[in-house]
Amino acid sequence: MASNSSRMRTIFRTKTSKALDKIEDPRDLLDDSYDQQVKLLQQVRQALAEVATAKKRIDLQGQELGQRYQRLGAQAKEALDQGREDLARAALERRSLIERQVAQLQSQYAGMQKQTSQLEERERRLSEQIAAFRIEKETIKATYTASEAQVRANEAVAGIGATIDDVGTSLDRARDRVAQMQARAEATDELLNSGALRDLTAPPDADIERQLAAMSAQAEIDRQIRELKGETPDAASGRPRSGGDDAGEWLSIGQGPNPT
């Protein structure tokens, strides 16, 4: 009963780990982060457009008040020329009211001008940040994909299961995941090259064939040593092993002793 319970826990942990790996794929996390930054940039641009629209309305109102201001000034002068001081005074009173209104519009326009400059600077910096993040995001995604493929290939050859650590939800965690994947790929390469892991793609009885080949090579070396010491008929007679001319002697290199 205890054994079955332990097996169930192991299966559950394995499935949970695979599900988390699928959910916390750093490539998806990076794409989500990039999309959030793009949405923020769109909001800044929308705010910039709204401020620009409001500033334009104030500008139009200011132009209209400016025209009335000039017209009232001309009317006040014309009224005085015609001896109507009362009309001139009324025109100047209205002109004074317009001055106060224009002063308020000027203050609002200056504030919106400052706000526009701030939003434009924020939009510029955010655009540069997003462009840099996009390049780094694609680089990390490509590196992760290549490393993941390499690990899967190495694990398939070695016959070992793949285990991947949890992935974070930020750019730093994605970088750590890529580093872990690259280190694992290098480790499996080293294990395969050193022979610590058996290559399941090798033909059967390959180890025996390697040993026989090594013994054959050692026997050939022993024969050549005896020949150099004069322990063979060819060395004693001082004749070359091959009966051909000097130009063809290279053809016999590595072919063993001449049977004749």
Side-chain angles (χ1 to χ4, degrees):
M1 184 66 178
S3 176
N4 291 335
S5 177
S6 177
R7 287 179 57 190
M8 291 298 296
R9 286 196 299 269
T10 301
I11 294 174
F12 176 77
R13 284 196 299 267
T14 301
K15 291 185 176 181
T16 302
S17 177
K18 290 182 179 179
L20 289 175
D21 287 342
K22 185 176 181 181
I23 295 174
E24 296 185 347
D25 192 320
R27 292 165 293 193
D28 295 336
L29 297 176
L30 291 173
D31 286 337
D32 291 342
S33 179
Y34 177 77
D35 292 340
Q36 292 176 4
Q37 294 183 53
V38 171
K39 290 180 180 178
L40 178 60
L41 178 60
Q42 292 174 347
Q43 293 175 359
V44 171
R45 288 175 174 172
Q46 182 178 358
L48 186 59
E50 292 175 353
V51 172
T53 301
K55 189 174 67 172
K56 184 61 178 179
R57 287 199 298 265
I58 291 177
D59 180 51
L60 293 175
Q61 292 177 4
Q63 292 180 17
E64 182 180 353
L65 290 176
Q67 292 174 358
R68 286 189 60 195
Y69 182 85
Q70 297 296 333
R71 185 168 59 252
L72 286 171
Q75 289 175 346
K77 185 177 183 305
E78 182 180 357
L80 284 177
D81 292 342
Q82 295 181 7
R84 294 293 306 273
E85 183 177 345
D86 56 331
L87 290 178
R89 189 178 297 276
L92 291 176
E93 288 177 354
R94 294 180 184 179
R95 195 167 185 256
S96 177
L97 178 61
I98 289 177
E99 285 183 1
R100 292 194 295 270
Q101 293 176 344
V102 168
Q104 293 178 355
L105 289 178
Q106 289 174 344
S107 177
Q108 293 177 5
Y109 189 86
M112 288 187 177
Q113 184 66 31
K114 181 179 180 181
Q115 188 177 8
T116 299
S117 299
Q118 293 175 346
L119 287 173
E120 288 176 346
E121 178 65 17
R122 188 171 301 173
E123 189 270 345
R124 183 187 65 80
R125 292 184 178 180
L126 189 56
S127 297
E128 294 176 353
Q129 175 183 340
I130 291 176
F133 181 84
R134 181 179 181 277
I135 294 174
E136 186 171 8
K137 171 180 75 75
E138 295 301 326
T139 301
I140 291 178
K141 287 174 60 179
T143 304
Y144 179 85
T145 300
S147 299
E148 184 183 41
Q150 184 178 4
V151 168
R152 288 179 178 176
N154 289 341
E155 290 179 345
V157 171
I160 61 178
T163 57
I164 303 175
D165 295 331
D166 292 340
V167 184
T169 58
S170 65
L171 181 61
D172 291 337
R173 192 171 178 184
R175 289 173 179 161
D176 293 340
R177 180 66 178 277
V178 171
Q180 292 172 4
M181 190 66 71
Q182 289 177 318
R184 186 169 183 177
E186 294 175 359
T188 51
D189 279 338
E190 293 177 359
L191 290 174
L192 287 173
N193 293 332
S194 64
L197 295 177
R198 185 167 64 91
D199 189 351
L200 299 181
T201 62
D205 304 326
D207 54 340
I208 297 178
E209 292 180 3
R210 286 195 299 269
Q211 295 181 39
L212 290 175
M215 293 172 60
S216 177
Q218 186 61 43
E220 175 61 18
I221 292 175
D222 293 340
R223 185 196 62 77
Q224 294 179 17
I225 291 295
R226 291 195 302 272
E227 182 178 329
L228 292 174
K229 290 180 177 181
E231 297 177 1
T232 63
D234 288 345
S237 63
R239 293 183 293 102
R241 291 180 301 169
S242 174
D245 55 6
D246 293 339
E249 287 184 355
W250 64 272
L251 295 174
S252 63
I253 293 178
Q255 303 300 318
N258 192 336
T260 58

